[in-house]
């Protein structure tokens, strides 16, 4: 019987088992530091040359904190600058208006006088305030419902391609200069609007706002208000459209699943969700209408200075707004008292605009809370 040598095969099996338990990527050089010395020392040396995931995370976090601090600092500085600018404008207007208010010989809030002569110097803003407010109200009454209807049409009814086209055309109104609106309004639109003015005088003349005792001029507050409505329409429409488009789809689909019609879905889901946004958009449009200058100055006919009467309250009377008065009389800023009188009028406009924007913010926040 022949003898079988099993020692070599046993040694080969042991070597294979050891190589499987300690795999390597390839032959190691004798000069490799990880192969020199005690196995414990080799393991420690390898660990110190590699970054752990925790160290990488901490390094990224430190870089993130630096970015957060920089962004927060920039935000604080920007916000502070904006607040300081508003405060500075208010202080500037008040400081220049006080000397003229002290020298004023008329009631600033309750008279319609405007005498810039050295003798009998006096001025009042009652007529300016009324014309500014009534033209802005007319613009809001016309523009807001139309803007809401256009926004609902674009976001809820028509296809997106058609809606984008309609929205683009409406947004183009914002690119038309104010002077173009003014010239078009007094030369073309006012004559076309005269039959409507005569209709209102005939059938609603018992209301002081539509007094029949006045002829219908082309440059009336009614004409200026309608033109202002066209000017603020893009602002209200754009914001309302974006708000309605963000209505949660789940609420719309839930209303439709319960059998609601398209109008019922809009009334129950879309309008409540967008109420605060629409109010904020309307207030922004009101701020634009209050401060509009060139178009209103071109359209409005300036009446003779006289005490306020019931006929003066008519929308078919002429007048001046704060902004148009300041722009039209810029050539009279030749003395401190005259300049202060117009700046006092600008201060009132500044306060009114500030109050309108503050009211818009409060109403919008309350609307969000109710929603």
């Amino acid at each position: 019987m022949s003898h079988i040598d099993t020692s070599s095969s046993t040694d080969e099996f042991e070597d294979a088992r050891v190589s499987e338990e300690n795999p390597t990527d390839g032959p190691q050089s004798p000069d490799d530091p990880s192969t020199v010395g005690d196995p414990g020392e080799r393991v420690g040396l390898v660990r110190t040359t590699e970054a752990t995931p925790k160290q990488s995370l901490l390094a990224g976090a430190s870089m993130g904190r630096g970015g957060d601090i920089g962004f927060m600092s920039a935000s604080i500085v920007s916000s502070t600058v904006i607040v300081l600018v508003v405060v500075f404008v208010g202080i500037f207007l008040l400081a220049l208006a006080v000397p003229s208010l002290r020298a004023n010989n008329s009631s600033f809030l309750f008279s319609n006088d405007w005498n810039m002569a050295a003798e009998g110097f006096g001025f009042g803003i009652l007529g300016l305030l009324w014309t500014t407010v009534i033209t802005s109200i007319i613009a809001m009454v016309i523009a807001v419902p139309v803007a809401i209807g256009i926004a609902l049409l674009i976001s809820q009814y028509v296809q997106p391609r058609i809606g984008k086209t309609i929205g683009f055309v409406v947004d183009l109104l914002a690119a038309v200069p104010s002077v173009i609106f003014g010239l078009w309004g007094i030369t073309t639109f006012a004559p076309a609007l005269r039959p409507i003015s005569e209709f209102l005088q005939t059938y609603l003349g018992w209301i002081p706002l539509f007094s029949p005792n006045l002829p219908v001029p082309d440059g009336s507050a009614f004409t200026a208000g309608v033109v202002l409505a066209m000017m603020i329409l893009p602002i209200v429409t754009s914001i309302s459209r974006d708000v309605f488009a963000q209505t949660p789809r789940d609420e719309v689909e839930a209303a439709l699943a319960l059998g609601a019609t398209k109008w019922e879905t809009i009334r129950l889901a879309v309008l409540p969700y967008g109420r605060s946004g629409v109010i904020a958009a309307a207030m922004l449009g009101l701020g634009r209408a209050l401060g509009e200058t060139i178009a209103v100055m071109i359209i409005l006919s300036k009446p003779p200075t006289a005490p306020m009467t019931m006929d003066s309250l008519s929308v078919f009377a002429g007048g001046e707004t704060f902004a148009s008065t300041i722009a039209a009389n810029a050539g009279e800023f030749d003395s401190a008292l005259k300049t202060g009188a117009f700046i006092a009028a600008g201060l009132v406009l500044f306060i009114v605009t500030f109050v309108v924007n503050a009211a818009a913010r409060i109403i919008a926040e309350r609307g969000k809370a109710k929603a």
Side-chain angles (χ1 to χ4, degrees), residues 190-216:
L193 201 61
R194 191 178 296 118
I196 299 177
S197 302
E198 294 174 350
F199 174 85
L200 293 175
Q201 276 190 331
T202 301
Y203 294 98
L204 299 177
W206 52 274
I207 302 176
L209 287 176
F210 308 105
S211 174
N213 299 326
L214 297 175
V216 179

Side-chain angles (χ1 to χ4, degrees), residues 2-367:
S2 61
H3 177 73
I4 300 175
D5 186 6
T6 60
S7 59
S8 59
S9 58
T10 303
D11 293 340
E12 291 176 358
F13 175 77
E14 291 294 334
D15 292 341
R17 184 176 61 82
V18 172
S19 62
E20 290 177 358
E21 293 178 355
N22 300 282
T24 58
D25 294 335
Q28 299 179 350
S29 171
D31 297 334
D32 188 353
S34 61
T35 61
V36 179
D38 185 76
E41 296 178 357
R42 293 200 302 268
V43 172
L45 183 59
V46 171
R47 288 180 178 175
T48 56
T49 58
E50 295 180 357
T52 63
K54 184 176 181 181
Q55 291 173 340
S56 302
L57 182 62
L58 291 176
S62 62
M63 294 177 62
R65 291 193 198 98
D68 289 341
I69 294 174
F71 182 77
M72 182 179 65
S73 302
S75 301
I76 293 174
V77 171
S78 301
S79 303
T80 305
V81 168
I82 293 174
V83 173
L84 291 178
V85 168
V86 175
V87 173
F88 174 76
V89 170
I91 294 174
F92 167 78
L93 294 174
L94 184 62
L96 294 183
V98 166
S100 297
L101 290 173
R102 289 179 177 176
N104 187 15
N105 295 316
S106 301
S107 175
F108 178 65
L109 294 176
F110 301 104
S111 73
N112 197 34
D113 301 333
W114 200 268
N115 181 15
M116 294 290 102
E119 297 181 359
F121 177 79
F123 57 96
I125 63 165
L126 184 59
L128 301 178
L129 180 62
W130 172 252
T131 307
T132 301
V133 171
I134 194 62
T135 53
S136 300
I137 290 176
I138 293 172
M140 295 292 294
V141 170
I142 297 174
V144 172
V146 175
I148 293 175
I150 295 174
L152 289 175
L153 175 68
I154 294 174
S155 61
Q156 304 297 322
Y157 283 98
V158 299
Q159 297 179 355
R161 181 181 301 177
I162 301 176
K164 290 181 179 179
T165 303
I166 298 174
F168 175 76
V169 173
V170 174
D171 292 341
L172 281 179
L173 290 175
V176 179
S178 298
V179 65
I180 301 300
F181 272 112
L183 293 174
W184 171 79
I186 193 61
T187 59
T188 304
F189 187 65
L193 201 61
R194 191 178 296 118
I196 299 177
S197 302
E198 294 174 350
F199 174 85
L200 293 175
Q201 276 190 331
T202 301
Y203 294 98
L204 299 177
W206 52 274
I207 302 176
L209 287 176
F210 308 105
S211 174
N213 299 326
L214 297 175
V216 179
D218 290 338
S220 65
F222 180 66
T223 304
V226 177
V227 173
L228 282 177
M230 299 180 188
M231 298 179 70
I232 68 175
L233 184 65
I235 299 175
V236 184
T237 302
S238 178
I239 298 176
S240 302
R241 177 185 64 204
D242 293 340
V243 172
F244 291 151
Q246 294 176 3
T247 304
R249 195 63 192 171
D250 294 343
E251 297 183 9
V252 175
E253 292 178 353
L256 294 174
L258 292 174
T261 63
K262 190 68 173 181
W263 163 242
E264 289 174 339
T265 302
I266 292 174
R267 182 171 60 87
L268 298 175
V270 178
L271 290 179
Y273 179 82
R275 180 173 56 246
S276 60
V278 171
I279 293 174
M283 291 300 178
L284 289 176
L286 178 59
R288 167 71 190 279
L290 289 171
E292 179 53 41
T293 305
I294 301 300
V296 176
M297 183 179 68
I298 295 174
I299 293 172
L300 283 177
S301 59
K302 182 179 179 180
T305 302
M308 292 286 292
T309 62
M310 291 300 294
D311 290 338
S312 301
L313 302 179
S314 174
V315 297
F316 303 119
E320 289 183 296
T321 64
F322 288 113
S324 66
T325 298
I326 296 172
N329 297 279
E332 297 188 16
F333 296 172
D334 54 0
S335 67
L337 285 180
K338 292 182 181 180
T339 303
F342 291 103
I343 288 181
L347 176 62
V348 176
L349 178 61
F350 175 80
I351 294 173
V352 170
T353 306
F354 186 82
V355 170
V356 167
N357 287 310
R361 172 59 66 88
I362 293 173
I363 294 173
E365 293 297 331
R366 288 182 178 178

